Amino acid sequence: NMQNFENSQLYQAELMDHYKNPRNNGKLESPDFSSGVFNPSCGDSVSFEGVIKNNKLVDVKFQGSGCVISQATASMLAEFVKNQDISNLEKLEIRDILNLVKIHLGPARLRCALISLEALQHGIKIWREKN
């Protein structure tokens, strides 16, 4: 129906905006963790850096290259996770990413959307092991 179509157009516009004007893009001075994921099937890569204080992710930056989905999701995720408790971030799942992105993703696109979450959670895991 038209309503759904308009919504999906809206969400695609939001994705494009994050892709063209990424939030929290770049590097941190002295991150507590740094971790990246590369998807060989499409050549996308996303890396996350974060600063953790009192079990909160107080600062986060990402860098990456690849398709609109992988890069826009990284930007959306970085915005979403800032100032959240680490324990909440460790529990994030596929459906949380889908709720952020809000458009239907087939299996290949889903993989593109999930590499940010993988990179972030891997970074937090590394930090946990060190602390």
Side-chain angles (χ1 to χ4, degrees):
N1 76 23
M2 201 58 201
Q3 182 69 44
N4 283 351
F5 176 73
E6 281 170 8
N7 282 349
S8 91
Q9 296 288 85
L10 192 73
Y11 298 137
Q12 282 173 344
E14 192 186 352
L15 274 175
M16 283 310 296
D17 183 50
H18 272 272
Y19 179 68
K20 290 179 176 149
N21 311 295
R23 285 44 148 190
N24 302 298
N25 185 248
K27 288 185 94 54
L28 293 171
E29 286 284 303
S30 45
D32 291 315
F33 70 81
S34 178
S35 109
V37 172
F38 176 68
N39 179 3
S41 70
C42 64
D44 289 351
S45 68
V46 172
S47 62
F48 269 84
E49 293 184 335
V51 175
I52 298 171
K53 288 199 167 51
N54 305 322
N55 283 323
K56 266 196 195 336
L57 184 61
V58 294
D59 205 359
V60 63
K61 292 266 191 247
F62 84 93
Q63 288 187 303
S65 64
C67 71
V68 170
I69 299 284
S70 70
Q71 302 310 302
T73 305
S75 172
M76 289 171 148
L77 184 65
E79 202 172 48
F80 177 73
V81 298
K82 204 167 181 179
N83 295 316
Q84 288 214 42
D85 276 355
I86 293 301
S87 53
N88 292 345
L89 304 184
E90 287 169 320
K91 291 185 203 117
L92 290 175
E93 295 169 10
I94 292 177
R95 67 159 186 266
D96 299 301
I97 295 295
L98 292 174
N99 287 341
L100 272 183
V101 177
K102 297 190 193 80
I103 62 168
H104 176 74
L105 300 171
R109 288 281 177 230
L110 182 60
R111 179 82 194 96
C112 299
L114 290 177
I115 63 172
S116 327
L117 182 61
E118 213 179 299
L120 177 73
Q121 288 180 329
H122 184 63
I124 291 170
K125 189 170 174 252
I126 293 168
W127 174 83
R128 277 262 189 240
E129 285 161 7
K130 283 194 307 207
N131 288 279

